Amino acid sequence: MLGRGVAAATWYARSVLLASFFLRGQAILKLPNNNNLTRKINNPRPTIIGSCPLTLHLSFSTMASIERVTENLEAPELDNRSYRVIRLPNKLEALLVHDPDTDKASASVNVNVGSFSDPDDMPGTAHAVEHFLFMGTEKYPKENAYSQYLTAHSGHSNAYTASTETNYFFEVGTSDGTEAGNDGVNGTTTSPLYGALDRFAQFFIRPLFLSSTLDRELKAVDSENKKNLQSDNWRLAQLSKSLSNPAHPYHQFSTGNLESLRDEPRKRGVDIREEFVKFHSEHYSANRMKLVVLGQESLDQLESWVGELFSGVQNKDLPEKRWDGVQPYSEKEALFEVFAKPVMDSRSLDIMFPFQDEENMYETQPSRYISHLIGHEGPGSILAYIKAKGWANGLSAGPISICPGSAHFVISIRLTEDGLSEYQEVVKVIFEYISLIKETPPQKWIVDEVKGMAEVDFRFQEKSPASSFTSRISSVMQQPLPREWLISGTQLIRKFDSEAISKALAFLRTNNYRLTIVSQTFPGDWDQKERWYGTDYKTQRISADFEAAVRKAGESTTANRLKDLHLPHKNEFIPTKLTVEKKEVSEPLKNPKLIRNDDIARTWWKKDDRFWVPKGNVFMTLRAPLVSATPANSVKSKLYCELVKDALVEYSYDAEIAGLEYGLGSYSRGIDIDVSGYSDKMSVLLEKVLVSMRDLKVEPDRFKIVKERVLRAYRNWDFQQPYRQVGDFTGWLGREKGWINEQYLAELAPLQAEDISSFYPQILRQFHIEILAHGNIYKEDALRMTQLVESVLKPRVLPHLQWQVRRDLILLEGSDFTYRRTLADPANVNHCIEYYIFVGDVADRVLRAKLILLAQMTDEIGFDQLRTKEQLGYIVFTGARMGATTMGYHVIIQSERRTEYLEERINAFLVYFAKSLDEMTQEDFERHKMSLTAKRLEKLKNLDQESGRFWSQICSEYFDYLQYEEDVAHLAPLNKSDVIEFFKHYIHPTSPARAKLSVQMISQATPKDLAGDISNQEQKSILVGTIGKFLTSVGIAVDLEKLTSQFETVDIAGGDQIGILQAISSYISVEDAQRPPNQSSEIIEQAKDLLGTALPGLGIEVPVASDADGPSELPKAPSMKATTLIGNVYLFKAALPASGGAKSVKDLSAFEESEPKL
């Protein structure tokens, strides 16, 4: 369930493996693929494999011998792929995957080196090297050649750096109707995969590390780090690292920033580029790399390509990276408690035990037994007890791999207010339960239950997107698994080992743990700040009394242990009916059938005819206008849903771990319910949810806890990253009716338990039922579930005239509006802008085709110009924005630069793109069309994707099930002049018809706030010193007295960048007169980049850049008419006309079922 998945992700994200993703300007935490995310995280850990079985040597006339390791990989039952593991002569190991049905090809390289290998004095080096490999190679020197190629072939790329691995991957269309030119073998035409592989392989053969990209990419790393500075996941993870054993690399700062990667090294006279080249040379070796390639091509063809393109990767026979002689937490770090103050209003307790590394225990995985029991939520569990006491809302438990030889076992509890004050009691309950597990011999039936469910999940595992698969498996390949088990990996438990479980339990001792207590209010006397993120914290040794109480709990027996604690019962939700009636079809149906349509209900149904898994999805909306009629109603509806879910925790947990989940939430249309998973016992869970909704008793104590949790969620919304907030305001301003977070927050405080008790029966009294039943579900089952809703809740008919009409507001031609909001988080340094241009009716197929083609065309060029070249911010996005009934084009940038400047640069970019569009060749134009066509017609990968597509059309009320096919049909006739005309009319900044809304999130924090109280003289002294060290690092001798004299008349405190650069230039011309002018110009350009961070660091506001500060290839930003500031949102909306409401593209009778049941 979503809530539990997020809980597990939260405790995991606080752990060691923070991995920054480089994906179109977004960075996220890397969470591993896991077979039981809610209880246990199985992290693929980078290690070098041992010897592999069943080898066969083949010789090729064009290359050295390639060793075929195995083709017999354990795979899911419905998997029609073919596999082959090979090893090249340079010891690079590869998994080749032939997928006859895929329309996306992909490859991934996982390198067994990460942030743990950073030099001590340059933390973040591995991450920076990851960035630089994208910036050009000897064979393809243009810095965005790789991304341009992928974009032109319906593709994208990504990479992440973790502690002991760096993972690179891409995805590309298998065919988009274009020719790959001479990318193929012997110059022949091939699929786009060959060209992508050729460019990709050069990352590891001859990367350039271009000097011209050095400062820009370091700024990108710094911007990525700044984006995360106010993220509690990153802050708490780094706090754990910073407080660990300094002798272990876990202690280091892994992301890197300008201080660690540029400014401090330059002060020491370090050649930064040379350090990155050195790192690549010392750590990147073929024998440390694992490659996965997936495509439509035969295994022999893929093998030929891999041998040709990757044999050039140098093998240095580097050893596996290990840190066996030292642990992240030694005995002297045990029995401490850390109190940390979060940015968000959250409360949690983490118990961390140093744990065994299970990399070689892949057959038994003893930690899964422990995770299953400690993380259980059913009767007798830790959570059931502490939840009943009012101390906690959730619990997660599982091992976290640090590196070969090191691991942690973490138990994380989401505390209530009472639980915070009673955290020591919570700890004692946990140790009593651990003593219960230790006292009871390991139960084979429990392992068999977990093992059996894992086997079912793997047996019916569906395909994932190509790049997700290749990236995940290349990481798995670093583990010492038999090569036949690369796909199943650690998903399966293969043996019951009682002794191994007992040994693992021995690590969970009363003298072998640390506590982390997170709260904004407790204890309140934090006396230290973490260096890299500035987290307030306090550490102290656990008191003797508390230590003794925990020891007593850990030694408890049946005689004195809490009677409410016991092991779980057998799970009655384990599915037993796993057969699927498969019927041959010439072509899968592209829409569900309407099998009931009356005043009470509308039931949509499709028996799965594509994926043939024993699973289903049932999505339903109880359409009730009362739910969102006012902000107060919206809040009461949310509280109602949260209370129902709270009451169902113990019952639904068994279903969840048996692969059957439910969801419940309130939205603008009404109450949404969904049940997903194995179809065997789906109706049983649905009935329980409905009965709980009908019979909810709002208990005052649980209401208090749930209300406080919702209150914190509303408050925390304002502390999200700005780019996550801005879209809500844009949507709110564009809707005829809707509410925002501050309106919900204002209504929550006065609500009492009796308000919910009296409100929710009104919702259930009258509503309309809309249901989608999709998957291994028969028509009669779908109708029975509809009848179940009707019979349990007994609603009155909601007349069609009372249904809510979905409609947006229309921005009038020539209008220009700006809406500004100040960020609530006083410490967030980032501004954000969403620049939105209104286009028209979302149902206008021709207009829609032009808009999405424009989005395709600006995708790569927008990212390259605004993010890579101009370095406006790490978060940059361009594309189409689809509303309920209208659509437009938008640009989102999160940046330290002021929003006025960001808007100016967006205007300049659009002028620049207009010129590029005019000059675009017909070949490139057609390539964009073909690439977009391939994306729109991309095959569905699994049942959930198809269900989601159906449900989104039902919710939209357009029921446009063939929308993607229609998009392609309307793309086909478009020519370049059509798009030019569209752009000039709707998008171009100087178009008199353009309608624009700029939504701007303004940071409270200024450079002065961040720098503190620094005098003008101190600013000057520090800056001149920094410039002196910079000049020394580029080979210019520095006389500090002479250098200082150049700045006598420069207004440093006023941010006079031109004067500062002139002073540097004058010094160079006098003291280094023999230096060629082109080299001097390059130094001045680097100095300009240096000032972009050095001045704000001294509390100096950097003025908005002049024309000279922008890239020379961009035209000057056009002169724009004055914008209208939105002050009163009510008056703004009142002045705008509304669109027509959403309506079906066909009469609904066209969807009624007329064929016999499947």
Side-chain angles (χ1 to χ4, degrees), residues 750-770:
L751 293 179
Q752 300 299 321
E754 50 269 24
D755 294 318
I756 309 305
S757 296
S758 61
F759 175 72
Y760 85 79
Q762 298 176 49
I763 299 175
L764 301 184
R765 189 172 299 138
Q766 185 179 33
F767 59 80
H768 176 266
I769 307 164
E770 183 107 52

Side-chain angles (χ1 to χ4, degrees), residues 81 97 99 102 104-107 193 292-296 302 466 469-470:
R81 291 166 170 165
V97 186
D99 187 337
T102 189
K104 288 288 188 179
S106 176
L193 175 59
V292 180
V293 181
L294 181 153
Q296 280 186 340
L302 294 175
F469 174 86
T470 58

Side-chain angles (χ1 to χ4, degrees), residues 79-319:
D79 190 351
N80 65 342
R81 291 166 170 165
S82 302
Y83 300 96
R84 179 184 295 167
V85 180
I86 63 172
R87 188 178 295 111
L88 302 184
N90 60 5
K91 297 187 181 179
L92 187 151
E93 186 181 46
L95 170 65
L96 312 176
V97 186
H98 163 61
D99 187 337
D101 298 329
T102 189
D103 53 2
K104 288 288 188 179
S106 176
S108 172
V109 166
N110 188 284
V111 189
N112 179 215
V113 65
S115 62
F116 278 12
S117 300
D118 287 345
D120 291 340
D121 57 357
M122 280 188 69
T125 296
H127 182 203
V129 168
E130 170 225 307
H131 275 243
F132 278 101
L133 293 199
F134 286 81
M135 294 293 108
T137 61
E138 189 173 294
K139 185 174 182 180
Y140 298 101
K142 186 177 178 182
E143 67 182 58
N144 64 335
Y146 175 63
S147 59
Q148 275 187 334
Y149 182 87
L150 295 178
T151 300
H153 294 86
S154 313
H156 59 80
S157 65
N158 196 345
Y160 68 79
T161 302
S163 300
T164 59
E165 66 176 347
T166 306
N167 192 295
Y168 303 85
F169 53 97
F170 71 80
E171 189 169 292
V172 70
T174 54
S175 176
D176 54 14
T178 65
E179 292 186 349
N182 292 330
D183 289 330
V185 181
N186 300 321
T188 59
T189 300
T190 69
S191 80
L193 175 59
Y194 180 90
L197 283 172
D198 187 18
R199 289 158 176 81
F200 187 52
Q202 295 302 311
F203 281 27
F204 314 103
I205 298 173
R206 296 234 190 285
L208 288 177
F209 292 94
L210 293 168
S211 298
S212 60
T213 69
L214 185 66
D215 273 299
R216 282 196 275 113
E217 280 309 302
L218 290 179
K219 281 185 177 180
V221 172
D222 186 68
S223 181
E224 179 178 346
N225 179 63
K226 284 193 169 85
K227 179 184 71 66
N228 299 324
L229 288 178
Q230 293 302 101
S231 165
D232 283 325
N233 286 339
W234 290 86
R235 291 166 70 88
L236 294 171
Q238 185 59 49
L239 179 61
S240 172
K241 289 155 66 73
S242 295
L243 295 177
S244 67
N245 183 357
H248 195 282
Y250 177 62
H251 180 79
Q252 292 180 339
F253 170 52
S254 57
T255 308
N257 59 18
L258 282 178
E259 176 191 351
S260 70
L261 292 170
R262 189 188 71 180
D263 299 343
E264 288 301 317
R266 277 182 177 168
K267 288 178 184 177
R268 302 191 302 270
V270 171
D271 185 328
I272 300 166
R273 177 187 175 276
E274 187 57 37
E275 286 298 310
F276 296 152
V277 173
K278 178 182 174 184
F279 185 92
H280 188 275
S281 175
E282 290 183 352
H283 295 290
Y284 277 58
S285 172
N287 74 304
R288 281 186 174 175
M289 297 180 188
K290 307 298 177 186
L291 168 67
V292 180
V293 181
L294 181 153
Q296 280 186 340
E297 292 77 9
S298 69
L299 292 176
D300 288 347
Q301 179 67 81
L302 294 175
E303 181 177 291
S304 173
W305 287 352
V306 167
E308 174 194 353
L309 299 174
F310 286 87
S311 291
V313 180
Q314 185 180 356
N315 175 32
K316 302 159 189 173
D317 277 322
L318 299 178

Side-chain angles (χ1 to χ4, degrees), residues 366-439:
S367 62
R368 286 178 71 171
Y369 178 87
I370 304 170
S371 302
H372 175 75
L373 295 179
I374 294 178
H376 210 280
E377 297 183 4
S381 66
I382 296 169
L383 182 62
Y385 180 82
I386 59 179
K387 183 171 176 285
K389 298 288 286 185
W391 295 341
N393 291 313
L395 181 149
S396 301
I400 299 167
S401 176
I402 304 299
C403 63
S406 301
H408 296 159
F409 191 96
V410 178
I411 304 169
S412 186
I413 304 96
R414 298 199 311 272
L415 298 172
T416 64
E417 286 184 292
D418 290 342
L420 181 63
S421 61
E422 300 288 347
Y423 81 92
Q424 293 186 352
E425 294 300 314
V426 173
V427 173
K428 288 191 284 186
V429 171
I430 289 169
F431 273 98
E432 285 203 27
Y433 195 87
I434 290 172
S435 75
L436 166 66
I437 303 174
K438 290 181 176 180
E439 180 183 86

